[in-house]
Amino acid sequence: MRFISESSEERIPCYRVLDDDGQPFPDSSFVKVSEGVAIKMYNDMVTLQTMDTIFYEAQRQGRISFYLTTSGEEAINIASAAAIKNDDFVVPQYREPGVLLWRGFSMQEFANQCFGNKADYGKGRQMPIHYGSNKHNYFTVSSTIATQLPHAVGAAYALKMDRKDACAVTYFGDGGTSEGDFHAALNFSAVTEAPVIFICRNNGWAISTPISDQFRSDGAVVKGRAYGVRSIRVDGNDALAIYSAVHAAREMAIGEGRPILIEALTYRVGHHTTSDDSTKYRPVDEIEWWRTTQDPVTRFRKWIESNGWWNGDIESELRSSVRKQVILVSLTISKYGLLQLQH
């Protein structure tokens, strides 16, 4: 008589490409990224970072009712978006506006939704940051945790039945793995062999609940094997690692007709939402360590700089331009209620 051990002695390794200084590890294997794609990735990461800062401040000023940021998770947003195609269905949680940004959702459209004016595609019936766009194959955000996962499997199965060269990509946090919908979705996807990519943003906290109080398993990656889903653990603050893993996952999902689970290890630097104060349950020095030493945007900038694709002058110009654009859009809408800006 032999029982299967509740856990292995060694943790599942984490796939990384760039070290903390933005330099590739020796003999690291990754999908090559062109200069054009790399520059757009960095531009969008900076834009996302800036948009979060301005809209967060707008909420604190009473201009909008609610907001949450992607601080610390910009690489997961942008790099995963860069690795998939526009025909792929995206079924988000609520911390993936970068995917929409990559696909061409304008700053005006983001502002319309957050301010709930009549140009908002949801006609002001959703909370701020609950984006959705038929044009960009981006399902509307739902606040309820993990309900999007079975929906993504159904969408992927429909793509398979229609013989489309596309997959569904869905996002969720580590807290989502504690919901029954997560387990149902993984089993559903494995049985139907649906081309769906599950991307778990394991940032260590389900609002104020740490992962140590959520599960005793080796993170989320091992849960895939239990349901017959091919899985990988990736450094979520490494844009090249995320890009490479999602790129490979898409090829397997569509080419082999199978679901893939990606666990991206990261850290939520900001508060969970504007309704939260994370310093009540997390040490301030822990937050600052992640903010200053593990910032995915800084790490990726160091890599493009080392390739000769970026410099300080371009950096200053980009950040100044993006900040002016976001402030102009938000102030114009909140003060005058204008629906379009004239350029």
Side-chain angles (χ1 to χ4, degrees):
M1 183 168 60
R2 181 182 180 185
F3 288 85
I4 299 174
S5 174
E6 69 278 7
S7 62
S8 59
E9 294 184 3
E10 295 185 6
R11 294 198 68 195
I12 299 297
C14 181
Y15 170 59
R16 301 183 70 190
V17 174
L18 300 177
D19 62 21
D20 292 349
D21 291 322
Q23 300 306 307
F25 288 101
D27 302 321
S28 58
S29 175
F30 62 95
V31 177
K32 302 301 179 183
V33 179
S34 69
E35 178 180 353
V37 171
I39 295 303
K40 176 171 168 51
M41 285 172 63
Y42 185 70
N43 271 268
D44 283 1
M45 288 168 76
V46 169
T47 300
L48 179 60
Q49 200 175 55
T50 306
M51 181 181 79
D52 275 348
T53 299
I54 301 302
F55 283 173
Y56 189 91
E57 292 172 351
Q59 192 281 332
R60 290 310 194 210
Q61 296 165 1
R63 298 178 185 275
I64 58 179
S65 61
F66 177 82
Y67 197 73
L68 59 77
T69 70
T70 59
S71 300
E73 302 177 26
E74 296 90 349
I76 298 174
N77 268 245
I78 302 301
S80 65
I84 60 178
K85 306 298 183 184
N86 289 339
D87 289 338
D88 296 329
F89 289 165
V90 174
V91 190
Q93 190 184 23
Y94 43 58
R95 219 179 289 275
E96 290 81 35
V99 181
L100 262 182
L101 180 65
W102 177 270
R103 292 189 169 193
F105 206 68
S106 70
M107 203 57 61
Q108 181 75 54
E109 291 172 303
F110 281 115
N112 288 340
Q113 199 286 323
C114 286
F115 284 91
N117 62 26
K118 70 177 184 178
D120 168 30
Y121 300 133
K123 302 185 184 301
R125 296 168 181 162
Q126 286 273 15
M127 290 173 61
I129 64 89
H130 286 57
Y131 310 108
S133 175
N134 289 335
K135 175 183 176 182
H136 298 97
N137 288 326
Y138 189 97
F139 284 56
T140 301
V141 172
S142 172
S143 284
T144 45
I145 302 299
T147 56
Q148 74 275 15
L149 303 184
H151 298 164
V153 180
Y157 189 63
L159 291 171
K160 177 181 179 179
M161 292 297 97
D162 290 340
R163 300 183 184 280
K164 300 289 187 181
D165 184 25
C167 67
V169 184
T170 187
Y171 300 80
F172 53 101
D174 48 273
T177 67
S178 298
E179 296 288 338
D181 283 330
F182 166 77
H183 301 274
L186 258 65
N187 190 59
F188 181 22
S189 68
V191 171
T192 59
E193 298 182 326
V196 55
I197 303 174
F198 298 97
I199 301 180
C200 174
R201 294 175 288 93
N202 186 348
N203 60 29
W205 295 89
I207 308 183
S208 59
T209 303
I211 55 174
S212 59
D213 289 347
Q214 293 183 64
F215 41 76
R216 287 292 182 267
S217 63
D218 178 14
V221 67
V222 295
K223 301 178 191 294
R225 177 180 292 174
Y227 290 103
V229 175
R230 188 172 295 173
S231 310
I232 185 173
R233 170 174 285 158
V234 184
D235 181 348
N237 288 19
D238 181 345
L240 285 187
I242 290 291
Y243 179 87
S244 299
V246 175
H247 186 278
R250 184 180 187 274
E251 289 187 345
M252 289 186 287
I254 298 174
E256 301 177 22
R258 66 168 64 249
I260 305 291
L261 170 63
I262 297 175
E263 179 187 28
L265 299 182
T266 184
Y267 188 86
R268 191 194 76 224
V269 171
H271 304 303
H272 183 259
T273 69
T274 49
S275 303
D276 173 50
D277 179 3
S278 62
T279 63
K280 298 297 184 182
Y281 53 84
R282 303 189 299 184
V284 174
D285 57 350
E286 174 184 293
I287 299 171
E288 284 305 306
W289 183 83
W290 280 93
R291 188 194 307 277
T292 56
T293 68
Q294 301 296 312
D295 177 40
V297 182
T298 301
R299 189 189 301 187
F300 193 62
R301 186 187 72 232
K302 290 178 179 178
W303 181 73
I304 59 176
E305 284 178 339
S306 68
N307 288 325
W309 298 342
W310 202 254
N311 58 53
D313 291 337
I314 304 175
E315 174 79 12
S316 298
E317 182 180 347
L318 170 65
R319 289 190 177 272
S320 176
S321 174
V322 171
R323 182 173 176 80
K324 289 178 181 178
Q325 179 188 1
V326 180
I327 290 176
L328 179 61
V329 170
S330 60
L331 287 182
T332 302
I333 289 180
S334 62
K335 187 173 182 180
Y336 302 108
L338 297 180
L339 301 182
Q340 297 292 332
L341 295 178
Q342 301 300 319
H343 297 285

